Amino acid sequence: MTKKLMCVHEVAKLTGITARTLHYYDEIGLLKPTKVTEAGYRMYDDTALSSLQNILLFRELEFPLKEIKAILNSPDFDQSEVIAHQIELLELQYKHIGELIAFAREIQKKGVKVMNFDVFDRSEIEKYEEEVKAKWGNTKAYQECKEKDIARNGDTYSRIANELLTMFSGLGELKHLTPNTDEVQNKIASLQKFITDHYYECTDEILSGLGEMYVCDERFRNNIDKVGGHGTADFVRQAIVVYCSKRRMRVGDSGKLKGNP
């Protein structure tokens, strides 16, 4: 354990995550620094590092950031219980990977005619993950998302996911434009409405956080760039920054928000 406050670069060196990621965690309220110096440097103590350790463990377990935040902010949060759940999930994944390795070795030894699709079944892991999320996923956005999940079947869910990817593809086709053009900004407004209609109320704050996640989370970046072309995720983030900035300015000017940007 550290005996002194650590700056961003020291934490990054200790943990292997980037300074940009730490800044992002601060911006979305996932991991706030213990203090910020007069010069603007973020500083972290042992308690903050312990929280970061929890975050990184959940990230290894592929939990989305919004669900990690819900867990850590839950009034029922219990450090020892969380660690026990993390160990259980890690053991389930360890068992699953061991079965996959054994299956691959069997193919290597006996040839590709070996057929066994049971080893790809992740239902036990997914069931336990859902139990963990249900226990602590008490945020409004999480509950809305779960309610809408229940209201649709698998085919509908797949269709909605494909529609979302199509929206990113459409934004990718506009990369030759600047992020503040009306055509791009209208696409971002449509994206915000789509998320609200199909997942949870996408406030400007949530949309801003999603924009950062599209860049910082490698899985999101890869998927978005895959459908929209290299650089699409970063372009979407820039467009979201402009969109939210315009919305804030309009609220400041009029005291309330009307219409589209």
Side-chain angles (χ1 to χ4, degrees):
M1 298 290 283
T2 178
K3 296 181 180 180
K4 65 180 182 68
L5 291 174
M6 301 180 70
C7 68
V8 166
H9 292 292
E10 289 174 319
V11 175
K13 184 177 180 180
L14 175 68
T15 62
I17 66 174
T18 65
R20 181 177 185 178
T21 298
L22 283 170
H23 291 166
Y24 175 55
Y25 286 175
D26 180 13
E27 289 169 9
I28 65 173
L30 178 60
L31 179 69
K32 289 290 185 181
T34 305
K35 64 176 289 187
V36 179
T37 68
E38 292 183 1
Y41 293 106
R42 295 171 172 86
M43 306 297 292
Y44 300 83
D45 64 4
D46 288 344
T47 301
L49 291 179
S50 178
S51 295
L52 178 57
Q53 192 166 255
N54 269 320
I55 293 167
L56 295 180
L57 272 171
F58 276 120
R59 292 298 291 136
E60 286 296 322
L61 292 165
E62 300 185 353
F63 274 57
L65 293 178
K66 64 183 177 66
E67 291 174 5
I68 298 174
K69 183 178 178 181
I71 291 172
L72 298 184
N73 291 341
S74 170
D76 299 321
F77 179 82
D78 183 304
Q79 176 69 44
S80 60
E81 192 174 358
V82 166
I83 289 294
H85 284 305
Q86 288 173 332
I87 291 171
E88 180 69 21
L89 275 168
L90 288 167
E91 287 177 340
L92 287 171
Q93 289 203 357
Y94 178 76
K95 175 187 174 185
H96 179 66
I97 291 172
E99 291 171 348
L100 288 172
I101 291 172
F103 177 58
R105 284 176 173 163
E106 187 178 3
I107 292 176
Q108 184 182 48
K109 181 179 179 181
K110 299 181 179 179
V112 294
K113 291 183 178 181
V114 175
M115 302 292 284
N116 178 15
F117 291 97
D118 291 341
V119 296
F120 300 106
D121 183 8
R122 288 178 50 87
S123 59
E124 186 178 9
I125 296 174
E126 291 169 357
K127 180 177 181 295
Y128 195 85
E129 286 177 347
E130 287 304 312
E131 290 175 3
V132 173
K133 294 170 188 176
K135 180 175 178 60
W136 285 296
N138 60 340
T139 64
K140 180 183 176 183
Y142 180 83
Q143 291 300 339
E144 286 181 9
C145 187
K146 294 306 293 180
E147 288 168 6
K148 290 180 180 179
D149 274 348
I150 293 170
R152 59 191 176 219
N153 58 35
D155 291 339
T156 304
Y157 185 87
S158 178
R159 177 181 58 77
I160 291 172
N162 287 333
E163 288 180 15
L164 182 59
L165 290 176
T166 299
M167 298 187 79
F168 287 125
S169 176
L171 280 160
E173 294 174 358
L174 302 179
K175 291 198 300 292
H176 62 286
L177 302 175
T178 57
N180 64 344
T181 59
D182 288 345
E183 189 173 358
V184 175
Q185 289 298 296
N186 287 336
K187 290 277 190 184
I188 297 300
S190 296
L191 175 65
Q192 184 180 40
K193 184 178 185 303
F194 184 89
I195 294 171
T196 294
D197 290 345
H198 296 94
Y199 294 99
Y200 44 77
E201 182 183 359
C202 186
T203 63
D204 292 349
E205 181 182 5
I206 289 177
L207 182 65
S208 180
L210 288 173
E212 294 298 326
M213 184 173 68
Y214 294 155
V215 172
C216 293
D217 190 306
E218 186 176 351
R219 291 171 300 170
F220 277 97
R221 176 192 281 271
N222 289 341
N223 286 332
I224 292 171
D225 283 359
K226 183 177 180 180
V227 297
H230 179 71
T232 298
D234 192 57
F235 178 74
V236 172
R237 182 191 66 81
Q238 293 176 44
I240 287 175
V241 169
V242 173
Y243 176 85
C244 292
S245 177
K246 285 184 176 181
R247 303 257 292 184
R248 284 194 298 270
M249 289 175 61
R250 296 185 67 214
V251 170
D253 290 341
S254 64
K256 59 182 178 179
L257 186 62
K258 294 181 180 179
N260 290 326

